[in-house]
Amino acid sequence: MGDKLSYIVEDNIIAEILGRNNFSTKESAILELVKNAYDAGANDLKLIFKKSNRTGRLMLEIIDDGSGMNINDIKQAWMRVGKSSRDYMDSNTGRIFAGSKGIGRFALARLGESVDMYTKRKNEVGYHWMTNWNSSEISSDDNISNQGTKIQINNLRDKWSNKNIAPLKKYLSKVYRDSRMQITILFMFENGENIEEKTELIWENPKIGTNYLESLSITYDSNNHKLIGQIYSDEFKDSASKMTNQNIKEYSFELDMIDELKKDVVELIHGQDDIEKKDITNEMIGTLLKEVGSFKGELYFSLNNVTQIDKERYEYKHDTLSERFNRGVILYRNAFSIDSFEGRTDWLELGKRASSSPAAASHPTGSWRVRRNQLSGYILIDKVKNAYIEDISNRQGIVQNIHFTIFKSIIDSALNEFEGYRQSIVRDIRKIKDKEDLIPVTKEVDIENKIDKFIDQSESIGEITTQDLIEVKNRILEYKNKITDISNEKKEVEENYRYEAQLLNVLATLQLKISSLSHELHNNRNTIAANPQKIEDALKIKYDWEELKAVKPSSRNIPLLLKNLEKDLEKVLDLSDTIIDENKKERFEPKDYSLSELIEEIVEKWRIQYNWVTFKTSCFGENDITISYDYLMIILDNLILNSIQVNEGKKVLEISINFDYNEGKLLLEYSDNGVGLDKKYKKNPSKILNVHEGTREDGHGLGMWMVNNTVYKLNGNISINGESEGFNLKAEMQI
């Protein structure tokens, strides 16, 4: 057996790699030393910038009243790279240790060229440790009287001045959230004057209406996969409560995350482990959701600014907040944030969410997404409970693994609930306001005549009285406000339909590709349709056809395979004919139809394609209708396709379509006897109408959105029964 070997690394190399190259900023290096003091049980920590008596240069002194170290601690822990004496919790102080990897002390090398450390345990001798990162020395020091540790960092590598004190305080106040250790920052001038700052608990006692407009509290219980959320709001005036069925002050929800995230987690497991999607069980999904671990969070929403017109239009209570939170969302692991997750970076990808769905909150069908500059707050995770959410070795971020992706998806689900709640209120208010005449028209007709006097040069200015001028001024102000209002409405309309235009452009491009292929198939229709018969005739020349029919299994039965191929080709060709027919220009122009015949024309194509589906249609009321074919085609095609795809495992499916048309009002009742809404949508069925909503693994989540969007364009609305057997939808439209 050979001799055992250990790596030998030069001190300056360790200092370079684990110190200077390991910490992205000077502030993050200081944070590591703050964590050391916290783990040592310090109640008071001082960061002092002052001139060194020895060198005359600025130095940083870090003094804590923690447990201190003895000779054994320094040799066996402090000087041993990667050695951490930290467990989970300090039994004496109850603090959960922030350190774990045994490399945080090399933050000293990031900050200065040399270090002197004076440390002492209670009732033991003190020690002086020093290093210049080429070599280190230690000696006992009887002059150290107080328990704790004082670190002097000499020849600072970065420029520090009194102007850095306030930003450092702000940074430490964000990254540290515990009151058990007070942090004081001092900058000492040579003339004896000092600048002193103490860190603050920035999330303590937040005030609604002062710091934020709406709060979202979330609690995730990993044992039962439940996400519980509570929203409190002070965004809208009391008058708004009469314009919506929502409680404008509070809203709560409870979500089963297996139901919510099944589709996404299946994709993650399939992508990581290359497991067939059909083999991924709820138990496997539940295991991952449990491994993520329980966590809590508090998020605070507010608008950056509100115009006077928007304040009146949407019944907003506030136009500005006196002390608005604008700190971003911070991820804390126990008492400290994870570096680069303290609000600087958009780790929740709020920008990406908003750009993928840029609809305004007032958009009638698009899904509004909260903007990055509108959200602040924090998420709390634990060193043990959330162990699968791992720090990068240099503690400058999080390992982007499957658990962290699911963790963010859970938070995303909570944000979806908040966004849906707020948007429903704004939409309801907008509906009411759109029906009102926001700018009152003065009844006195003679004001218009008085305005004409300014325009008509033949009239004498002297005939206009002071009261006339006041009335004319008020009318001009009304015109000015109306122009501003129209301009803002125009801007909002453009924003509202930007995302819709993006989606429709994508869909239109795909449709062009499909149409091109359909024309190609149509041009070769006769050849394609005849090919199975030609193959059969060729085979009959050489083989006994009856013997081939008897071959088993069916996967080797050539006559049967050709018969199935013939049926499948016929479906493909019928589909290509349908696509060509439905893309004709006249399909997009209003025409006179027989409602019953129009419905049958749309449904018959589905009957041909899916003989296992039974369609029942009926039309009541007036039969003559003037409408663009594409409207009803989009509504029915997407509803039928949704029913078929959701119930593709059933052998028999019955779809019922009932229309009632009277005096311009068209009512649709659509139902099927399938599996109905997924559990994800049972409590809030209208959620399925949002863009990109769906539970099918290969679905795009646009079908029901297109149904809703089309109904809205027909001045209608949709209601879905979440408790019924199968799927049941009602729509009311104005034709």
Side-chain angles (χ1 to χ4, degrees):
M1 187 174 180
D3 295 338
K4 291 184 178 180
L5 298 174
S6 296
Y7 287 106
I8 298 174
V9 184
E10 298 296 330
D11 287 8
N12 61 338
I13 300 299
I14 295 176
E16 184 75 19
I17 295 172
L18 298 182
R20 298 184 67 180
N21 296 340
N22 202 34
F23 295 94
S24 57
T25 65
K26 57 187 179 182
E27 290 82 8
S28 63
I30 285 180
L31 175 61
E32 285 301 314
L33 302 175
V34 171
K35 289 178 181 179
N36 282 351
Y38 180 84
D39 286 350
N43 296 311
D44 188 67
L45 173 66
K46 289 184 172 61
L47 306 175
I48 304 171
F49 293 89
K50 65 180 183 180
K51 284 285 182 70
S52 168
N53 294 329
R54 189 169 58 194
T55 66
R57 293 173 60 181
L58 191 68
M59 63 179 283
L60 170 58
E61 203 167 65
I62 302 175
I63 306 172
D64 72 60
D65 60 353
S67 58
M69 290 185 284
N70 58 26
I71 187 68
N72 187 61
D73 296 327
I74 295 172
K75 288 183 176 180
Q76 299 301 319
W78 183 260
M79 291 298 295
R80 189 170 176 182
V81 179
K83 171 67 175 178
S84 175
S85 58
R86 310 302 186 196
D87 198 353
Y88 172 63
M89 181 183 290
D90 187 325
S91 57
N92 294 321
T93 64
R95 300 181 188 184
I96 297 171
F97 290 120
S100 62
K101 299 184 183 298
I103 60 174
R105 69 204 64 142
F106 290 99
L108 293 167
R110 168 67 177 80
L111 293 168
E113 295 177 6
S114 66
V115 174
D116 288 278
M117 179 175 72
Y118 305 87
T119 185
K120 182 181 184 298
R121 272 192 175 275
K122 187 176 181 181
N123 300 324
E124 296 187 33
V125 67
Y127 288 90
H128 175 199
W129 174 85
M130 67 193 81
T131 186
N132 61 4
W133 307 116
N134 288 312
S135 63
S136 300
E137 297 178 13
I138 187 170
S139 60
S140 61
D141 190 336
D142 295 331
N143 294 320
I144 304 173
S145 57
N146 295 326
Q147 173 188 322
T149 299
K150 178 172 75 172
I151 299 174
Q152 293 177 342
I153 307 172
N154 310 304
N155 301 325
L156 298 177
R157 301 186 193 275
D158 300 283
K159 289 184 178 180
W160 292 90
S161 71
N162 59 308
K163 294 180 180 178
N164 296 117
I165 303 306
L168 182 59
K169 171 204 168 178
K170 182 179 179 181
Y171 170 78
L172 291 176
S173 295
K174 288 178 70 173
V175 299
Y176 172 61
R177 56 167 302 276
D178 195 328
S179 60
R180 287 177 287 190
M181 182 177 75
Q182 178 65 58
I183 303 174
T184 304
I185 307 170
L186 282 162
F187 191 93
M188 302 177 68
F189 294 94
E190 290 183 89
N191 62 7
E193 294 182 4
N194 297 331
I195 293 177
E196 180 176 321
E197 296 280 3
K198 292 183 182 294
T199 57
E200 302 171 344
L201 296 173
I202 62 172
W203 303 114
E204 195 171 54
N205 302 319
K207 295 181 177 62
I208 194 167
T210 301
N211 304 124
Y212 64 94
L213 297 175
E214 299 190 53
S215 65
L216 168 60
S217 301
I218 60 174
T219 302
Y220 175 63
D221 186 339
S222 62
N223 291 314
N224 57 21
H225 320 120
K226 289 287 193 300
L227 175 67
I228 297 173
Q230 179 68 53
I231 296 170
Y232 292 103
S233 175
D234 190 46
E235 184 172 10
F236 303 98
K237 299 174 186 174
D238 291 342
S239 54
S241 61
K242 299 176 182 178
M243 303 179 184
T244 178
N245 292 325
Q246 288 278 17
N247 183 333
I248 65 169
K249 295 296 183 183
E250 58 182 280
Y251 173 78
S252 60
F253 58 88
E254 181 178 313
L255 305 176
D256 186 316
M257 297 317 297
I258 291 183
D259 296 336
E260 288 289 317
L261 299 181
K262 183 174 182 179
K263 176 183 174 182
D264 297 333
V265 178
V266 164
E267 287 291 340
L268 289 170
I269 296 173
H270 173 68
Q272 176 175 284
D273 299 327
D274 200 25
I275 300 174
E276 290 293 329
K277 291 181 181 179
K278 61 182 177 62
D279 297 328
I280 299 172
T281 64
N282 277 6
E283 185 178 355
M284 295 166 67
I285 296 169
T287 298
L288 278 170
L289 285 166
K290 186 172 183 178
E291 288 174 349
V292 167
S294 300
F295 64 87
K296 296 181 179 181
E298 292 284 335
L299 300 174
Y300 304 102
F301 167 83
S302 60
L303 297 172
N304 196 20
N305 54 66
V306 175
T307 66
Q308 193 61 33
I309 290 175
D310 279 351
K311 186 178 180 182
E312 294 175 5
R313 178 180 293 156
Y314 298 114
E315 298 294 309
Y316 291 139
K317 189 173 180 180
H318 309 271
D319 47 13
T320 59
L321 297 179
S322 58
E323 299 174 38
R324 178 178 179 266
F325 282 158
N326 188 23
R327 298 164 178 162
V329 179
I330 302 175
L331 178 60
Y332 292 101
R333 194 188 294 279
N334 303 113
F336 293 91
S337 78
I338 294 163
D339 193 51
S340 82
F341 286 74
E342 83 291 355
R344 280 185 298 151
T345 58
D346 184 18
W347 63 275
L348 283 176
E349 300 181 283
L350 299 176
K352 183 178 178 181
R353 291 174 81 255
S355 63
S356 68
S357 184
S362 58
H363 194 289
T365 59
S367 296
W368 168 73
R369 293 287 176 256
V370 64
R371 277 44 173 174
R372 182 184 176 187
N373 66 351
Q374 296 172 343
L375 202 67
S376 291
Y378 56 90
I379 305 293
L380 307 177
I381 60 175
D382 180 78
K383 191 174 181 179
V384 170
K385 292 177 183 176
N386 310 102
Y388 283 92
I389 301 175
E390 305 173 56
D391 290 7
I392 297 174
S393 60
N394 64 5
R395 295 197 273 188
Q396 303 294 293
I398 292 288
V399 176
Q400 301 294 312
N401 58 20
I402 190 171
H403 295 91
F404 185 61
T405 302
I406 295 172
F407 170 70
K408 290 196 295 182
S409 295
I410 294 170
I411 301 170
D412 191 69
S413 296
L415 289 176
N416 287 340
E417 287 294 316
F418 163 71
E419 289 158 344
Y421 163 72
R422 181 176 180 270
Q423 185 170 28
S424 66
I425 295 174
V426 174
R427 280 174 174 170
D428 289 344
I429 293 172
R430 181 63 187 269
K431 284 179 186 176
I432 299 296
K433 293 288 183 146
D434 281 349
K435 295 176 182 178
E436 296 177 355
D437 183 7
L438 296 178
I439 303 175
V441 179
T442 309
K443 294 181 180 179
E444 292 83 353
V445 178
D446 62 340
I447 292 180
E448 303 296 337
N449 296 329
K450 292 171 183 177
I451 292 175
D452 290 339
K453 289 184 179 181
F454 283 102
I455 301 170
D456 188 349
Q457 296 300 317
S458 63
E459 294 286 346
S460 172
I461 295 295
E463 297 178 12
I464 299 175
T465 66
T466 301
Q467 183 59 36
D468 290 339
L469 288 171
I470 293 172
E471 291 174 347
V472 170
K473 176 186 175 183
N474 290 337
R475 176 49 61 90
I476 291 173
L477 286 174
E478 285 181 9
Y479 287 154
K480 183 179 178 182
N481 289 337
K482 193 166 187 176
I483 290 170
T484 303
D485 196 43
I486 291 170
S487 176
N488 285 327
E489 284 188 1
K490 177 178 177 289
K491 182 180 178 182
E492 186 171 319
V493 167
E494 290 172 352
E495 291 176 352
N496 281 350
Y497 287 97
R498 182 171 46 152
Y499 179 55
E500 186 176 318
Q502 289 175 334
L503 279 177
L504 293 179
N505 283 338
V506 171
L507 294 173
T509 302
L510 291 174
Q511 185 67 17
L512 287 173
K513 294 178 182 178
I514 294 170
S515 296
S516 176
L517 180 59
S518 298
H519 279 286
E520 192 174 325
L521 290 172
H522 184 75
N523 293 336
N524 298 317
R525 194 182 210 290
N526 293 336
T527 303
I528 294 170
N531 278 339
Q533 186 60 49
K534 289 179 180 179
I535 295 171
E536 180 179 328
D537 292 342
L539 289 171
K540 282 180 177 179
I541 295 172
K542 190 172 182 180
Y543 300 100
D544 185 318
W545 200 248
E546 293 304 318
E547 285 184 10
L548 290 177
K549 282 184 177 181
V551 172
K552 292 183 179 179
S554 58
S555 59
R556 291 182 157 188
N557 190 312
I558 293 175
L560 179 60
L561 291 173
L562 284 172
K563 194 69 178 174
N564 290 338
L565 176 61
E566 186 177 4
K567 291 179 181 177
D568 291 340
L569 283 175
E570 190 61 35
K571 288 182 180 179
V572 171
L573 294 170
D574 285 343
L575 178 61
S576 70
D577 292 342
T578 299
I579 291 171
I580 292 169
D581 185 50
E582 290 182 348
N583 276 281
K584 292 177 180 177
K585 183 179 178 181
E586 58 267 22
R587 293 296 202 183
F588 299 89
E589 298 171 351
K591 289 175 61 177
D592 294 333
Y593 289 98
S594 162
L595 181 59
S596 57
E597 291 177 4
L598 178 57
I599 303 308
E600 279 301 308
E601 180 183 345
I602 295 171
V603 172
E604 184 60 27
K605 295 166 184 175
W606 291 95
R607 283 198 181 102
I608 294 170
Q609 290 284 322
Y610 297 91
N611 54 18
W612 56 278
V613 182
T614 301
F615 291 89
K616 294 183 178 180
T617 63
S618 62
C619 291
F620 301 96
E622 302 170 26
N623 194 42
D624 295 331
I625 189 171
T626 302
I627 193 172
S628 176
Y629 169 87
D630 65 292
Y631 282 139
L632 289 187
M633 181 268 289
I634 290 171
I635 293 170
L636 292 181
D637 277 4
N638 279 291
L639 287 174
I640 293 169
L641 180 61
N642 185 67
S643 291
I644 289 172
Q645 289 179 334
V646 169
N647 298 286
E648 57 189 358
K650 291 177 68 72
K651 294 182 179 179
V652 177
L653 179 67
E654 184 177 293
I655 294 176
S656 176
I657 302 170
N658 300 311
F659 278 95
D660 190 345
Y661 181 53
N662 283 290
E663 297 180 352
K665 181 181 289 186
L666 180 63
L667 304 177
L668 163 64
E669 184 168 349
Y670 177 95
S671 62
D672 67 43
N673 65 343
V675 297
L677 285 172
D678 188 87
K679 284 195 295 183
K680 178 179 179 179
Y681 303 107
K682 287 287 186 182
K683 292 182 180 179
N684 185 10
S686 61
K687 189 176 177 180
I688 194 69
L689 301 175
N690 291 336
V691 68
H692 297 314
E693 277 291 340
T695 54
R696 289 179 54 248
E697 292 163 12
D698 57 348
H700 46 54
L702 293 177
M704 294 304 296
W705 172 78
M706 285 191 283
V707 171
N708 187 42
N709 201 40
T710 306
V711 170
Y712 174 78
K713 289 182 185 303
L714 292 171
N715 300 309
N717 56 77
I718 288 176
S719 62
I720 300 174
N721 187 342
E723 302 301 324
S724 67
E725 294 292 328
F727 178 75
N728 189 293
L729 173 145
K730 293 181 180 179
E732 180 178 314
M733 296 158 274
Q734 298 291 331
I735 306 300

